[in-house]
């Protein structure tokens, strides 16, 4: 029987609640599909600060590197907000991504027909949306040096090398080949030199993917087009800061931030996590939506080559939603029953093991 080692990083806030439900579903699927998942837990974020005085201890990085994949919850919360920058939970996550070489973040936004009413946009605009944001994750302005803040002036550096652009563009074109074969590269080439290079390199990489259609779009236009007509997009390729903003925008097309999964790849192991944070405002209340994390677990199974298991999870979620079960964040007038985090996890696990 195939055995996969999964590093589990539950993190803070709602992290443990939602990851527990994803594990419940994974176990149900593993049982049916005949593979085994071996989980090892490590601390990250605020909970690691509390124990090790370090938001990303070496033991956590080592544990992840010795695994086949990482399942991640969320980090952060008001308890750790006033710590110095190097001890903040968010710094821990950035360090983890960098240490694992995770330069590509893939964020699909698929609308479930059952949830068209959960979005603030009109049903005819969002029905059938199926897009994916491929965001560069370890470069750009978030990491650029020099950076400095003095009393009266502060600056950051937006920097990309040819190699960094090339490898993220390859990920986007490869994704497009598995999908509808269109890449929209988003930049600000009318203003930024770094975007001029971005465009040049993306065009070069495109030559190796003649079957994929490539278009370029300025980020301000992309932000507008995402709301105007999201169905025009297949794969959106973009840098770190633009991708950060656009993927959160894309989440609201889908209805709730609690529905969007992500995969971070590029290194030896992939990391799979919901796009939302630790939601301290609802932590411990049993109302967090576990679907983003459960869909992240499905992406993890795809990454491990267990495509049937991934399909089982996606179908189970569709069936549960079609029956009218909703967590509080997606409960609209069409909800037949509002369920807790744990109930939603159990329902999906039950349907996935049919
Ligand atoms: P957030 O994503 O945690 O929450 C934003 C809003 O969405 C809140 O109202 C929250 O209740 C709701 N929400 C989020 N996930 C939900 C879910 N699964 N089900 C239902 N509702 C959900 O963002 P925030 O409030 O800006 O940040 C809170 C903390 O999370 C901060 O410390 C921040 O730094 C951290 N954060 C962590 C990550 C990560 O772990 N990758 C990402 C973003 C923010």
């Amino acid at each position: 029987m195939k055995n996969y080692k999964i590093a589990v990083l539950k993190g803070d806030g709602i992290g443990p609640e939602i990851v527990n439900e994803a594990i419940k579903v994974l176990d149900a699927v593993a049982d049916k599909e005949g593979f085994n998942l071996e989980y090892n837990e490590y601390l990250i974020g605020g909970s690691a600060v509390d124990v090790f005085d370090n938001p990303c201890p070496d033991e956590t990085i080592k544990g992840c590197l010795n695994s086949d994949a990482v399942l991640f919850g969320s980090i952060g919360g008001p308890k750790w907000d006033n710590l110095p920058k190097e001890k903040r939970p968010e710094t821990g996550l950035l360090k983890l991504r960098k240490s694992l070489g995770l330069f590509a973040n893939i964020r699909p936004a698929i609308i479930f027909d059952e949830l068209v009413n959960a979005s603030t946009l009109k049903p005819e605009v969002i029905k059938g949306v199926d897009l994916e944001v491929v965001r560069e994750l370890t470069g750009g302005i978030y990491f650029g040096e020099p950076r400095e803040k003095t009393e009266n002036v502060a600056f950051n550096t937006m920097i990309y090398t040819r190699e960094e652009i090339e490898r993220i563009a390859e990920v986007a074109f490869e994704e497009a080949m598995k999908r509808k074969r269109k890449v929209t590269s988003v930049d600000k080439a009318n203003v930024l030199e770094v975007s001029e290079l971005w465009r040049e390199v993306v065009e070069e990489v495109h030559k190796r993917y003649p079957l994929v259609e490539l278009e370029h779009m300025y980020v301000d236009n992309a932000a507008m087009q995402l709301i105007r007509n999201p169905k025009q997009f297949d794969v959106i390729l973009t840098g770190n800061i633009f991708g950060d903003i656009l993927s959160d925008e894309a989440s609201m097309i889908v209805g709730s931030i609690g529905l969007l999964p992500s995969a971070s790849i590029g290194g030896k192991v992939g990391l799979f996590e919901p796009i939302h944070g630790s939601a301290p405002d609802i932590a411990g209340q049993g109302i967090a939506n576990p679907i983003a994390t459960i869909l992240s677990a499905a992406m993890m199974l795809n990454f491990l080559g267990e495509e049937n298991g991934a399909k089982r999870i996606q179908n189970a979620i569709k069936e549960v939603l079609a029956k009218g079960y909703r967590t509080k964040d997606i409960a609209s007038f069409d909800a037949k029953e509002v369920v807790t985090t744990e109930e939603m996890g159990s329902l999906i696990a039950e349907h996935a093991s049919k």
Side-chain angles (χ1 to χ4, degrees):
M1 192 190 272
K2 264 198 170 156
N3 186 58
Y4 301 104
K5 277 175 86 174
I6 310 298
V8 177
L9 277 54
K10 293 182 180 173
D12 311 317
I14 61 170
E17 300 168 47
I18 51 177
V19 172
N20 287 345
E21 298 316 307
I23 289 178
K24 199 190 273 178
V25 175
L26 281 170
D27 282 341
V29 169
D31 227 36
K32 273 283 162 194
E33 293 291 329
F35 58 85
N36 188 49
L37 296 166
E38 178 193 329
Y39 306 104
N40 293 297
E41 273 193 45
Y42 300 96
L43 292 176
I44 186 80
S47 45
V49 171
D50 288 350
V51 176
F52 295 109
D53 202 28
N54 179 349
C56 184
D58 290 346
E59 191 192 306
T60 299
I61 297 173
K62 242 189 253 161
C64 291
L65 286 171
N66 284 330
S67 306
D68 295 305
V70 182
L71 183 62
F72 189 99
S74 52
I75 46 97
K79 182 179 171 193
W80 305 282
D81 272 354
N82 296 320
L83 291 177
K85 196 160 162 243
E86 69 278 7
K87 291 211 176 137
R88 292 198 45 171
E90 295 78 8
T91 308
L93 179 55
L94 292 183
K95 183 178 161 198
L96 181 72
R97 286 174 178 159
K98 197 92 179 168
S99 309
L100 300 183
L102 304 172
F103 67 83
N105 186 233
I106 301 175
R107 297 182 172 194
I110 302 168
I111 189 98
F112 291 99
D113 283 352
E114 295 76 13
L115 292 182
V116 285
N117 292 315
S119 173
T120 48
L121 299 184
K122 287 182 187 151
E124 62 266 30
V125 174
I126 57 161
K127 208 162 180 222
V129 166
D130 179 3
L131 63 88
E132 193 170 283
V133 180
V134 173
R135 166 189 169 197
E136 201 289 327
L137 204 57
T138 53
I141 196 164
Y142 291 171
F143 291 93
E145 298 284 349
R147 58 200 296 157
E148 199 173 327
K149 175 170 171 280
T150 62
E151 199 188 334
N152 294 318
V153 65
F155 61 86
N156 291 87
T157 305
M158 191 162 183
I159 182 164
Y160 270 117
T161 64
R162 173 173 289 275
E163 191 219 337
E164 284 174 320
I165 304 166
E166 222 170 74
R167 63 186 189 180
I168 191 71
E170 272 164 16
V171 171
F173 285 112
E174 288 292 333
E175 285 298 303
M177 285 298 287
K178 294 184 240 160
R179 299 171 46 92
K180 291 174 278 174
R181 298 188 172 176
K182 181 177 172 192
V183 169
T184 305
S185 175
V186 173
D187 60 34
K188 191 71 185 168
N190 49 345
V191 180
L192 301 172
E193 280 76 5
V194 65
S195 286
E196 279 177 33
L197 180 67
W198 180 277
R199 231 175 233 224
E200 282 165 31
V201 178
V202 170
E203 300 238 333
E204 281 165 27
V205 176
H206 179 225
K207 290 187 187 132
R208 303 204 294 270
Y209 296 89
L211 297 178
V212 179
E213 180 195 342
L214 169 68
E215 69 174 354
H216 299 283
M217 199 177 270
Y218 297 134
V219 62
D220 38 353
N221 186 25
M224 187 265 281
Q225 294 294 340
L226 256 178
I227 299 298
R228 194 186 69 83
N229 178 19
K231 270 182 261 190
Q232 69 183 286
F233 295 106
D234 178 22
V235 173
I236 296 176
L237 159 65
T238 189
N240 207 342
I241 189 169
F242 299 154
D244 194 4
I245 298 162
L246 291 180
S247 51
D248 266 26
E249 188 185 346
S251 78
M252 280 325 288
I253 298 170
V254 175
S256 166
I257 198 162
L259 293 167
L260 274 189
S262 81
S264 300
I265 60 167
K268 178 182 158 274
V269 293
L271 183 146
F272 303 84
E273 60 171 323
I275 78 152
H276 59 73
S278 60
D281 54 332
I282 58 165
Q285 297 176 30
I287 56 172
N289 189 342
I291 292 181
T293 316
I294 295 170
L295 281 170
S296 306
M299 290 183 87
M300 181 176 86
L301 291 186
N302 261 329
F303 172 82
L304 294 171
E306 296 291 346
E307 288 91 357
N308 288 341
K311 274 206 193 81
R312 255 182 198 279
I313 296 182
Q314 284 152 354
N315 290 339
I317 293 172
K318 270 182 114 28
E319 282 168 29
V320 169
L321 292 175
K323 286 184 178 165
Y325 295 107
R326 305 280 188 272
T327 43
K328 196 175 162 208
D329 56 314
I330 49 170
S332 55
F333 61 89
D334 61 348
K336 293 203 180 65
E337 196 175 337
V338 178
V339 296
T340 63
T341 309
E342 226 181 303
E343 286 164 340
M344 182 56 96
S346 299
L347 281 162
I348 296 170
E350 196 184 296
H351 283 73
S353 57
K354 267 197 220 146

